[in-house]
Amino acid sequence: MRFDVVTLFPSLIEDALFHGITGRAIKENKLILKTWNPRDFTDSKTNRIDDRPYGGGPGMIMESEPLIRTIKAAKESSGSHHVVYMSPQGKSFNQKKAEEFLQYKNIILLSGRYEGIDERVIDNEVDEVSSVGDFIVSGGEIPALLIIDAVCRLEEGVLGDPNSAREDSFNNGLLEFPQYTRPDSNEFGDVPDVLLSGNHSEINLWRLKESLRRTLKLRPDLIEDRLLTNKEKDLISEIKSEENS
Ligand code: SAH
């Protein structure tokens, strides 16, 4: 997967990704990352890329011309034609969107700063607007990092065990079951017996049931949106009668 990130703070993007799973993916060329700084594409002698908003109001707006030149350069270099602007006004980014972005192989992420960007950039160059939540942060870099990390994990070979991505919360539409590691018993509690039993079909059934229990409790909306199998329906009735008794 290749990401070209248009940003006033390239090192914010690069430094953050050179660690852990994304760092290894970069070393192994499974994640290709390139940053593009609009300050390198301005005619201004002082490298200025922002100005006051027409009509008045607080703050500064990133100018259209340097941004559009930067995006065009990124498109030419990467061959990518999908430009995503990070903005609180966009559609919510989620696991499904991460899967969709993975299919592009090549995406340009545009990070805003200040009060945002000149609308003409969106009109002319942006294919999609993506938000990481109903709150405002100071720039599009942290939102872009979230997206790069989430998509990178789905790329084949990036996670040591291909099953880990499949088992993560949301990938199967449910929250992940509780996990434990050694020791099997200590002052903080005991690991459920079934996980020590070595019986994989029982373990899988327990995990499905606990995933359902947790999702029902913490994210009932996910259950409402789900086409439940008969087995899942049975487990949910069991959970409900357990919780009522
Ligand atoms: N005035 C703008 C917000 C500007 S915040 C508005 O009301 O819509 C500055 C930049 O941070 C934005 O251009 C955007 O790139 C980024 N940003 C802020 N919050 C974000 C969010 N929730 N999701 C994605 N990007 C965000």
Side-chain angles (χ1 to χ4, degrees), residues 53-90:
Y54 276 121
M60 302 294 268
I61 304 297
M62 290 175 80
E63 295 164 3
S64 55
E65 286 161 12
L67 273 183
I68 288 177
R69 272 187 224 131
T70 316
I71 294 168
K72 284 193 188 306
K75 277 185 171 170
E76 206 176 302
S77 155
S78 66
S80 171
H81 291 286
H82 199 66
V83 179
V84 180
Y85 173 45
M86 306 313 311
S87 163
Q89 301 181 22

Side-chain angles (χ1 to χ4, degrees), residues 145-160:
L145 286 169
L146 289 172
I147 289 184
I148 295 169
D149 190 324
V151 176
C152 175
R153 290 170 62 80
L154 300 174
E155 180 75 69
E156 216 182 300
V158 164
L159 294 184

Side-chain angles (χ1 to χ4, degrees), residues 23 48 75 94 98 123 168 180 222 240 244-245:
R48 186 178 157 159
K75 277 185 171 170
N94 56 22
D123 294 344
D168 274 339
Y180 301 86
L222 296 176
K240 288 193 167 150
N244 289 334
S245 65

Side-chain angles (χ1 to χ4, degrees), residues 61-62 85-90 110-117 129-144 147:
I61 304 297
M62 290 175 80
Y85 173 45
M86 306 313 311
S87 163
Q89 301 181 22
L110 170 58
S111 309
R113 279 269 155 181
Y114 314 121
E115 280 305 311
I117 67 176
V129 184
S130 194
S131 166
V132 296
D134 289 347
F135 49 82
I136 309 290
V137 290
S138 318
E141 286 78 10
I142 294 175
I147 289 184

Side-chain angles (χ1 to χ4, degrees), residues 209-226:
K209 185 169 172 183
E210 296 314 309
S211 272
L212 288 163
R213 190 194 306 276
R214 190 163 268 203
T215 314
L216 272 170
K217 188 165 171 214
L218 302 174
R219 290 294 305 275
D221 55 304
L222 296 176
I223 301 276
E224 274 159 31
D225 295 344
R226 186 178 177 84

